[in-house]
Amino acid sequence: MATFSYQAINESGSMVSGEVEAESTDMANNILAARGYLPSKVVEKGQILPSAFSKRLIERFTSIKPPELILFTKQFKTLIRAGVPILKIFKVIENQTENIALKNILLSVSQDVEEGASL
């Protein structure tokens, strides 16, 4: 098992950080999600930089307040567990959100996925 340092947003919207032991980054993310955290950065101890994907994701969500991001992830999780197709999820959440930045992000990600990019 490896030790991962993390930064995450808790359910009240506050930034938390700490360490968690897991076999992989994905497992560390799952552990944090089970604790009710929304991971923003998970790095194995000894690594210096997060992946390029993590950097782009963090940059995209910087203009969105933590409560809005938490609501988005809860809605996304509920819809994905209900078996709703990804593109339909993005459309539904885009129509329900009032935050212009989040609407633009959802539109952009939806177009990327529709064009063949992986989520």
Side-chain angles (χ1 to χ4, degrees):
M1 282 229 207
T3 302
F4 293 85
S5 296
Y6 68 86
Q7 289 181 342
I9 300 169
N10 64 16
E11 289 184 358
S12 66
S14 301
M15 245 343 206
V16 293
S17 61
E19 294 182 351
V20 64
E21 289 202 13
E23 293 179 13
S24 68
T25 305
D26 287 338
M27 186 181 220
N29 281 320
N30 290 338
I31 291 169
L32 294 171
R35 293 180 184 173
Y37 294 161
L38 177 63
S40 61
K41 179 179 176 184
V42 177
V43 180
E44 186 174 353
K45 277 224 144 165
Q47 285 185 342
I48 298 171
L49 298 173
S51 70
F53 175 76
S54 297
K55 283 183 183 178
R56 285 195 328 261
L57 189 62
I58 290 168
E59 287 171 5
R60 279 189 161 180
F61 284 106
T62 53
S63 64
I64 299 172
K65 305 271 188 245
E68 294 169 322
L69 188 56
I70 290 168
L71 178 61
F72 163 77
T73 56
K74 285 181 179 181
Q75 289 173 319
F76 188 86
K77 179 177 95 173
T78 301
L79 292 169
I80 200 89
R81 284 189 176 170
V84 178
I86 295 286
L87 293 174
K88 181 71 173 171
I89 291 172
F90 288 133
K91 270 289 188 228
V92 167
I93 297 174
E94 178 188 339
N95 290 334
Q96 292 179 352
T97 189
E98 295 177 6
N99 185 311
I100 300 298
L102 182 56
K103 279 184 183 267
N104 290 336
I105 291 166
L106 290 171
L107 181 61
S108 173
V109 172
S110 178
Q111 287 173 345
D112 289 348
V113 170
E114 198 169 18
E115 292 172 0
S118 65
L119 183 58

